[in-house]
């Protein structure tokens, strides 16, 4: 039976079973988007103000303050600080400062805005989560049982995703000039006290909440669907329990005069109070550092981490670019509430004026591959290859339908569309480096054949062994038996999907070679456009168009979009600073996810079917039947890559550490993983007993081991193979120029 959960039921669980105030819960606010309440506003305001000291959802409640005092007393005793504990904990110059008085005023202002429903109006991730549950939970949906392991995983997912969103929302408020004035209210604090956490402009949490609503809601919905299956006291309260521990263990020290460092190793993982105090510092070396809330890993990953070597004497407030402290910009509550609007308007108009008056100059070098962009391309390539593997493993014949949702989501097909865009980017870069048709052809042929030839031979061997062992593991249409001659001819020429030559064929179990048939056609077409001229170019292109046929040509625009990313990335971000780049990098993926969750992919395929009627669009387009949706993926990914490429141009080159090296390693074997995983899965399915313990883990582990072992032999040594071929060429034709001297991976 499909589980039906109403909005009222959700709010009841949140409000009564957890014992928490849903209007102020960090993840699960009330589901009344219009702030309608049964009590009078004034009464609600007074109640909210009086309840705050006892509310476990606010960091400055009596309970958390008590925990802070106890921890502080231990620190005072351990350090042997001079004077009394009270004078050390509550220095007069801090708590009698005018800045602290404004913190108190903003606290009451925030209570008022909360009562008016301003914050809850834009923060309802639970509604998004419920929508996902309703979308995915079909009539036969059987929710997974609630277990402590599931609760722990759901908690971890929600906390990590929320913290990731907080990092980027925080960073956006620093780097986007239109948003900075609202966040500057918080940074204008001249002294830090636990109440400084409430020193925020009301618009800032609303902007943060809009971001968190989408991403946290999606994370909640997916986690509940796959791991828990229902909203309950445990699933609702788990993430809040994590924040309870965070607050109880000293979060108030972040806004205080007490220096607490976790040590260099741990401060790569968690943001210490000292690191957050550094974030408030006016010193130039501290500007735009340590954006993280709980985790420092985001700062570490994105180059904004600052770890102190020892105690640093800090000055708080706002400063200019040279680190000179500015006079308090928001001395009164009225100034703190209204002045940021004027400053934001000035920033927007100045930006528009500058954009209209100045000549746009490219900010991206369209000829240079930066370390950061290269690593991101490898990340996407590795992720796409693994996604294809998981999507194919999800077939019922391999895993019994336990992961059918991956088939329903069609993730493998979407990942191939990602591959096409990445291929366009890389080939455009490689052709630019090659410079001549000879070098281009040499590098493309050696790259393909060094993996394709052994993959075809191993497919023949695997299929022969597997069919002899258990023919039932090779059902149609996932296995097509061909004569050895036709298999090698269509495989080595990579024309098995070129419908302009003959009917398309599947090479044994190696279905994924279909996309390689597309890739080679794209390489040939691009090479003709890039290196040929005049009538020869036209003749070659017409011949290729006739040979490859409609299925390949249908996805050529998606591949060519990747070429445009490399050759014309600067056109979309010229003179736009980082603002447009962030919008492109993040907004494109948000839009793509939103469309994927909707009926758009199915609607686009239905449109394709109607356009090709009365012909069967599957018969006409074969693997390109989702051409419209694949093109949408390509456009969104291209916009994402344009933004990332511009951002990566500002990242420092630094020695790559374990994570980057791991990504490079997986990406370096992605071609082998893609070409060999299907024959390997079928062979293992035919030979491994399904009754063995951990069968699915064995299936995955052995597939990865065989594919990456294959990569170690044939894909990774590509430079050595090319060097050997060059030497052979030089011996055979010593007076002919060497075409492969200049090569790219």
């Amino acid at each position: 039976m499909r589980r039906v959960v109403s909005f009222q039921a959700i709010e009841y669980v949140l409000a009564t079973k957890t014992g928490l105030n849903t209007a102020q819960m960090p993840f699960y606010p009330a589901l009344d988007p219009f702030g309608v309440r049964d009590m009078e506003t004034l009464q609600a305001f007074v109640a909210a103000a009086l309840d705050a000291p006892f509310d476990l959802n606010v960091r400055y409640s009596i309970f958390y303050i008590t925990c802070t005092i106890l921890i502080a007393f231990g620190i005072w005793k351990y350090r042997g600080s001079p004077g009394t504990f009270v004078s050390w904990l509550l220095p007069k110059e801090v708590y009698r400062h005018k800045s602290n008085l404004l913190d108190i005023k903003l606290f009451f202002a925030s209570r008022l805005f909360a009562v008016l429903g301003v914050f809850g109006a834009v923060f309802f991730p639970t509604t998004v989560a419920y929508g996902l549950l309703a979308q995915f939970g079909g009539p036969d949906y059987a929710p997974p049982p609630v277990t402590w392991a599931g609760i722990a995983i759901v908690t971890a997912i929600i906390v990590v995703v929320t913290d990731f969103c907080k990092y980027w929302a925080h960073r956006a408020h620093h780097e986007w000039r239109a948003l900075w004035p609202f966040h500057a209210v918080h940074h204008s604090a001249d002294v830090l006290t636990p109440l400084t956490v409430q020193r925020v402009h009301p618009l800032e949490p609303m902007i943060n909440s809009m971001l968190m609503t989408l991403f946290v809601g999606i994370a909640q919905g997916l986690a509940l669907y796959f791991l828990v299956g229902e909203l309950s006291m445990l699933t609702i309260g788990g993430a809040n329990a994590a924040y309870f521990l965070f607050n109880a263990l000293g979060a108030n020290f972040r806004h205080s005069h007490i220096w607490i460092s976790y040590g260099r190793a741990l401060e790569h993982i968690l943001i210490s109070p000292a690191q957050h105090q550094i974030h408030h510092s006016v010193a130039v070396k501290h500007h735009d550092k340590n954006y993280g809330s709980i985790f420092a890993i985001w700062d570490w990953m994105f180059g904004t981490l600052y770890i102190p070597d020892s105690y640093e004497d800090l000055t708080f407030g706002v400063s200019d670019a040279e680190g000179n402290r500015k006079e308090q910009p928001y001395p009164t509550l009225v100034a703190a509430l209204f002045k940021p609007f004027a400053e934001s308007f000035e920033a927007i108009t100045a930006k528009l004026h500058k954009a209209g008056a100045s000549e746009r100059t490219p900010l991206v070098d369209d000829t240079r591959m930066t370390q950061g962009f290269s690593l991101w391309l490898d990340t996407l390539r590795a992720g796409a290859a693994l996604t294809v593997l998981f999507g194919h493993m999800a077939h019922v014949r391999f895993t019994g339908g336990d992961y059918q949702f991956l088939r329903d989501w069609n993730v493998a097909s979407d990942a191939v569309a990602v591959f096409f865009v990445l291929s366009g980017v890389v080939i455009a870069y490689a052709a630019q480096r090659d410079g001549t048709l000879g070098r281009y052809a040499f590098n493309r042929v050696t790259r393909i054949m060094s993996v394709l030839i052994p993959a075809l031979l191993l497919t023949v061997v695997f299929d022969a062994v597997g069919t002899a062992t258990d023919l039932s593991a090779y059902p149609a249409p996932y296995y097509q038996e061909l004569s050895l001659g036709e298999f090698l001819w269509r495989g080595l020429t990579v024309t098995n999907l070129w419908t302009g030559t003959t009917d398309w064929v599947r090479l044994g179990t190696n279905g994924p070679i279909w996309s390689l048939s597309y890739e080679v056609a794209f390489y040939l077409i691009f090479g003709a456009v890039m290196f040929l001229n005049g009538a020869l170019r036209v003749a070659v292109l017409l011949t290729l168009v006739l040979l490859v046929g409609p299925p390949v040509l249908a996805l050529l625009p998606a591949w060519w979009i990747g070429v445009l990313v490399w050759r014309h990335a600067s056109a979309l971000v010229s003179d736009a600073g980082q603002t447009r780049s962030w919008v492109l990098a993040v907004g494109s993926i948000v839009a793509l996810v939103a469309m994927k969750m909707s009926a758009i992919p199915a609607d686009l395929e239905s449109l394709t079917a109607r356009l090709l009627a009365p012909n069967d669009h599957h018969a006409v387009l074969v693997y390109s039947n989702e051409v419209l949706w694949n093109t949408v993926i390509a456009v969104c990914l291209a916009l994402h890559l344009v933004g990332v490429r511009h951002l990566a141009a500002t990242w420092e080159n630094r020695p790559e550490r374990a994570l980057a090296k791991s990504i490079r390693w997986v990406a370096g074997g992605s071609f082998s993983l893609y070409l060999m995983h299907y024959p390997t899965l079928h062979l293992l399915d035919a030979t491994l007993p399904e009754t063995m313990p951990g069968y699915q883990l064995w299936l995955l582990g052995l597939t990865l081991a065989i594919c990456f072992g294959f990569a170690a032999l044939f894909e990774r040594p590509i430079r050595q193979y090319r060097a050997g071929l060059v030497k052979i060429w030089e011996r055979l034709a010593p007076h002919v120029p060497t075409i492969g001297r200049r090569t790219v991976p």
Side-chain angles (χ1 to χ4, degrees):
M1 292 293 293
R2 183 173 182 174
R3 193 176 298 274
V4 179
V5 185
S6 68
F7 290 143
Q8 292 81 4
I10 294 175
E11 187 157 341
Y12 172 80
V13 172
L14 304 182
T16 62
K17 292 191 176 183
T18 65
L20 298 176
N21 183 342
T22 60
Q24 297 169 347
M25 290 176 69
F27 300 108
Y28 302 92
L31 297 177
D32 178 5
F34 304 104
V36 178
R37 296 292 182 265
D38 295 330
M39 60 183 67
E40 295 294 334
T41 300
L42 180 59
Q43 292 175 321
F45 168 69
V46 173
L50 294 177
D51 287 346
F54 308 98
D55 188 351
L56 293 181
N57 293 289
V58 294
R59 192 184 298 176
Y60 43 80
S61 70
I62 291 177
F63 176 80
Y64 296 132
I65 291 294
T66 301
C67 293
T68 302
I69 293 173
L70 292 175
I71 295 172
F73 182 77
I75 294 172
W76 177 74
K77 292 289 288 184
Y78 175 77
R79 293 179 179 174
S81 302
T84 65
F85 172 64
V86 174
S87 63
W88 176 82
L89 180 66
L90 304 173
K92 296 179 181 178
E93 63 273 16
V94 171
Y95 284 86
R96 291 184 181 180
H97 199 284
K98 291 181 179 180
S99 177
N100 187 41
L101 298 178
L102 182 59
D103 291 352
I104 297 172
K105 295 176 183 178
L106 282 169
F107 158 73
F108 285 105
S110 70
R111 296 289 94 189
L112 176 60
F113 284 111
V115 166
L116 294 175
V118 172
F119 302 135
V122 294
F123 186 41
F124 40 97
T126 306
T127 306
V128 176
Y130 170 77
L132 283 176
L133 283 174
Q135 178 72 24
F136 296 148
D140 299 326
Y141 171 57
V146 178
T147 64
W148 285 110
I151 297 302
I153 296 173
V154 169
T155 297
I157 290 173
I158 294 175
V159 170
V160 169
V161 172
T162 300
D163 201 68
F164 181 76
C165 291
K166 286 183 177 181
Y167 170 87
W168 284 109
H170 190 180
R171 183 166 177 171
H173 275 88
H174 275 259
E175 297 185 355
W176 295 6
R177 294 183 181 179
L179 296 182
W180 166 247
F182 301 103
H183 188 57
V185 173
H186 181 68
H187 275 270
S188 67
D190 298 312
V191 296
L192 301 183
T193 73
L195 208 57
T196 305
V197 72
Q198 203 64 49
R199 187 191 182 99
V200 292
H201 192 280
L203 194 63
E204 182 181 344
M206 293 176 64
I207 296 171
N208 295 345
S209 295
M210 285 188 286
L211 175 66
M212 291 170 59
T213 288
L214 177 62
F215 287 100
V216 177
I218 292 173
Q220 286 178 1
L222 296 179
L224 292 174
Y225 178 79
F226 294 119
L227 298 171
V228 180
E230 66 177 7
L231 294 166
S232 68
M233 176 177 65
L234 294 175
T235 57
I236 297 298
N240 289 282
Y243 270 77
F244 172 85
L245 292 175
F246 171 70
N247 290 333
L249 294 177
N252 279 312
F253 289 111
R254 294 165 181 260
H255 294 104
S256 76
H257 61 286
I258 300 174
W259 176 276
I260 299 177
S261 173
Y262 294 160
R264 192 166 190 83
L266 192 56
E267 285 182 338
H268 280 86
I269 308 300
L270 300 174
I271 291 288
S272 69
Q275 285 175 289
H276 190 76
Q277 291 163 14
I278 283 171
H279 176 75
H280 279 267
S281 169
V282 300
V284 174
K285 65 180 181 179
H286 298 152
H287 286 184
D288 302 326
K289 299 295 184 182
N290 299 344
Y291 292 117
S293 177
I294 295 179
F295 300 111
I297 52 177
W298 318 125
D299 288 288
W300 189 13
M301 288 171 60
F302 300 110
T304 55
L305 183 65
Y306 181 95
I307 299 177
D309 293 323
S310 60
Y311 171 79
E312 298 187 23
D313 189 17
L314 306 176
T315 300
F316 304 126
V318 291
S319 64
D320 57 24
E322 287 72 38
N324 300 313
R325 183 178 179 182
K326 294 181 179 179
E327 184 180 353
Q328 175 57 250
Y330 312 109
T332 65
L333 178 62
V334 172
L337 292 177
F338 295 102
K339 188 177 178 181
F341 287 103
E343 294 173 334
S344 179
F345 180 77
E346 290 176 2
I348 294 172
T349 53
K351 181 68 177 178
L352 294 175
H353 177 74
K354 179 181 178 182
S358 63
E359 180 180 355
R360 294 182 177 269
T361 55
L363 293 179
V364 174
D365 182 354
D366 288 326
T367 64
R368 188 171 68 93
M369 176 69 77
T370 62
Q371 180 190 40
F373 188 59
S374 171
L375 180 60
W376 189 245
L377 291 178
D378 275 348
T379 302
L380 295 176
R381 186 155 58 108
L386 292 171
T387 299
V388 171
L389 169 62
F390 296 146
H392 288 164
M393 267 194 67
H395 274 293
V396 174
R397 65 186 190 277
F398 294 134
T399 50
D402 291 345
Y403 307 97
Q404 182 60 33
F405 63 91
L406 293 177
R407 302 299 307 161
D408 296 337
W409 288 356
N410 204 24
V411 295
S413 177
D414 292 349
V416 173
V418 172
F419 267 131
F420 283 151
V421 178
L422 297 179
S423 173
V425 175
V426 172
I427 295 304
Y429 163 69
Q432 169 190 290
R433 288 277 306 273
D434 294 335
T436 67
L437 178 59
R439 291 194 183 100
Y440 175 79
F442 176 80
N443 287 328
R444 301 289 71 73
V445 170
T446 52
R447 170 66 171 168
I448 294 294
M449 291 301 170
S450 64
V451 176
L452 177 61
I453 293 174
L456 288 172
L457 296 177
L458 206 57
T459 298
V460 172
V461 174
F462 279 13
D463 287 356
V465 173
T467 53
T469 304
D470 182 4
L471 189 58
S472 66
Y474 291 79
Y478 302 107
Y479 170 67
Q480 182 177 355
E481 186 175 2
L482 300 173
S483 67
L484 182 61
E486 184 179 7
F487 181 95
L488 294 177
W489 164 247
R490 298 299 297 274
L492 292 174
T493 59
V494 204
T495 60
N496 58 307
L497 256 293
W498 288 20
T499 57
T501 57
T502 183
D503 293 336
W504 72 275
V505 296
R506 186 185 187 94
L507 301 175
T509 56
N510 210 322
I513 289 183
W514 75 263
S515 64
L516 190 59
S517 188
Y518 282 50
E519 288 268 359
V520 169
F522 299 156
Y523 295 170
L524 292 171
I525 292 172
F526 177 78
V529 173
M530 181 88 174
F531 297 106
L532 301 181
N533 295 294
L536 179 59
R537 175 195 287 176
V538 174
V540 170
L541 288 175
L542 287 176
T543 302
L544 288 172
V545 167
L546 293 174
L547 287 176
V548 301
V552 174
L553 295 176
L555 287 180
L556 177 61
W559 187 87
W560 207 276
I561 285 172
V563 175
L564 298 179
V565 168
W566 181 258
R567 296 172 68 88
H568 304 291
S570 61
L572 291 177
V573 291
S574 58
D575 197 34
Q578 292 193 330
T579 303
R580 187 179 300 174
S581 300
W582 281 116
V583 171
L584 290 174
V586 178
S588 58
I589 299 303
V590 172
L592 181 61
V593 171
M595 287 187 285
K596 179 66 176 177
M597 293 169 55
S598 70
I600 289 177
D603 291 342
L604 290 177
E605 185 173 0
S606 297
L607 175 60
T608 303
R610 290 196 298 271
L611 291 174
L612 294 177
N615 299 304
D616 182 357
H617 72 293
H618 287 280
V620 174
L621 296 175
V622 196
Y623 289 105
S624 303
N625 60 297
E626 295 179 289
V627 55
L628 296 180
W629 171 240
N630 291 155
T631 305
V632 170
I633 293 175
V635 171
C636 290
L637 182 62
L639 294 174
H640 168 76
L641 291 175
V642 168
V644 171
R645 189 175 178 201
H646 177 256
L647 295 172
T650 66
W651 299 343
E652 298 179 5
N653 287 338
R654 59 184 65 188
E656 293 184 347
R657 302 194 179 185
L659 178 61
K661 291 179 180 179
S662 299
I663 292 171
R664 299 280 197 196
W665 186 86
V666 175
S670 59
F671 189 16
S672 300
L673 178 61
Y674 183 77
L675 279 192
M676 282 307 303
H677 74 276
Y678 235 154
T680 303
L681 283 172
H682 278 278
L683 175 65
L684 294 175
D685 185 40
T687 56
L688 287 180
E690 295 186 7
T691 56
M692 67 185 301
Y695 170 78
Q696 294 179 0
L697 290 177
W698 278 105
L699 186 66
L700 175 61
L702 289 174
T703 300
L704 290 172
I706 291 172
C707 292
F708 283 121
F710 180 93
L713 294 174
F714 302 108
E715 183 175 3
R716 301 189 196 279
I718 182 64
R719 293 182 184 274
Q720 293 92 314
Y721 293 153
R722 285 172 174 165
L725 289 173
V726 169
K727 290 180 179 179
I728 294 173
W729 177 266
E730 290 174 342
R731 290 179 181 178
L732 295 176
H735 303 296
V736 179
T738 303
I739 61 173
R741 182 72 69 187
R742 218 173 123 197
T743 63
V744 294

